[in-house]
Amino acid sequence: LEEKHGWSSSFMSLAQSWFWFVGAISAFAVGAMIDRYGARTVAYYGVCATAVGLASISLVYEPWQLFLAFFILATAYPTIGNLGISAALAPIFEVRYAAALSFALTGASVGGAIVTPAYIFLTKDLGFELASWVLAIATLLVLSPILLWLPSSTPSKDLNRDVEEQEVFKNSLCSPVFWVIFLTGLFSFTGQVGFLFQEISIFQPRMGLENAGYAVSLTVVGAAFGRFILGWTAELFQLRLVAAAVYLLQAAGLFIAILFEGVLTSYIAAFIIGLAVGPVVMLPAMLIRGAFGPKGFGKMFGLASIGMFAGMMIGPSITGITAASLGFEMALLCLLASDVVAAILIFLGFKKSDC
């Protein structure tokens, strides 16, 4: 889009920030819709909106059209992303929720690893416009049948259940535990996304572009390992201890990246941070379900997702601004502090709620 229309990278960054902003605002509405209509119905909207958004991008010629296309995609993202997946699984798995979540989110990561290079390849081979249409059609054809495997999404007609879920949600807003989870998501995602968005820029001066690429790959591999480790061990320990350990692990990786600049130590730092990447994404859903149970989960997780989206927006800004003025070491120190705050918050403030 930059090459085709001559738009600046700062304008594209603004458009991406718009995407995350709309996604954050949409998250609560999506959570409420999942509680009311079921995950399948909401996910079908997400699949259709994603296809429309992808097709719309190919038709963009004016800046406002790009913002409109990103708006459509942003409203779809929570329905089939972390929020939609976590909410779909919450009422199904009474036990081993963490294990189920680890498998499901790994599927999402694998999809991202396959689709993104495929999109790039198709763009080079067919052109951006046709590649976008191919991906839009493939989204409809592949995902629509898969959604049939989700449980029936008949709208709830049980007034007593609806009232009970509303009561649980209202009580959760008055519970300090919920806001601890909200803030923990904000701080942990600030630390995580702030690093991931700048990982190449951080490691390239130390080890060259090729080795920096290998470091990114190690982060991805670490994320897969960390996700499965959390999924299969989370129920063996207190959840607040598990969460605090994950946030401190991410901080430890950043500390190594600050303290040492060698190639080997950079690889170690990238892998350690990767071990926390998957668990950090899983933990907000696990914490909310652990504290409040599955009733009203969609609304609660939707609201908590606003904090996570805020962290996604704040983290890259902190890294970019701080690195430009004070260097990447100071930027990484700010991200480390964010992770430590998250660990302290969850260790001291999390407990199973009486709501």
Side-chain angles (χ1 to χ4, degrees), residues 130-301:
L130 186 54
S132 298
W133 276 96
V134 169
L135 195 58
I137 295 170
T139 298
L140 284 174
L141 295 180
V142 173
L143 294 184
S144 296
I146 291 175
L147 295 181
L148 294 174
W149 289 89
L150 286 176
S152 176
S153 51
T154 303
S156 171
K157 296 180 180 179
D158 187 340
L159 295 180
N160 290 332
R161 194 192 78 176
D162 290 346
V163 170
E164 187 176 358
E165 288 183 351
Q166 287 287 348
E167 191 66 23
V168 170
F169 175 69
K170 290 178 182 179
N171 289 338
S172 71
L173 298 184
C174 300
S175 170
V177 176
F178 175 81
W179 297 107
V180 165
I181 297 171
F182 181 96
L183 291 174
T184 299
L186 188 154
F187 282 108
S188 62
F189 272 79
T190 295
Q192 181 185 99
V193 180
F195 171 80
L196 294 178
F197 265 58
Q198 298 287 346
E199 187 170 4
I200 290 289
S201 299
I202 292 167
F203 287 136
Q204 184 178 353
R206 305 178 178 189
M207 53 200 307
L209 180 59
E210 183 177 354
N211 286 329
Y214 292 145
V216 172
S217 298
L218 278 174
T219 302
V220 174
V221 172
F225 275 107
R227 189 180 291 117
F228 280 113
I229 291 170
L230 178 65
W232 291 102
T233 62
E235 296 182 6
L236 302 177
F237 306 97
Q238 292 185 35
L239 194 50
R240 71 186 181 95
L241 298 180
V242 172
V246 167
Y247 301 140
L248 290 178
L249 180 65
Q250 187 164 268
L254 293 170
F255 182 72
I256 293 173
I258 294 170
L259 206 59
F260 304 102
E261 295 189 359
V263 174
L264 179 59
T265 52
S266 295
Y267 283 150
I268 293 172
F271 183 74
I272 291 175
I273 293 170
L275 287 174
V277 166
V280 164
V281 174
M282 291 171 59
L283 278 169
M286 293 169 57
L287 291 166
I288 288 175
R289 196 180 186 281
F292 302 100
K295 292 181 180 177
F297 177 90
K299 293 188 191 72
M300 284 185 281
F301 190 43

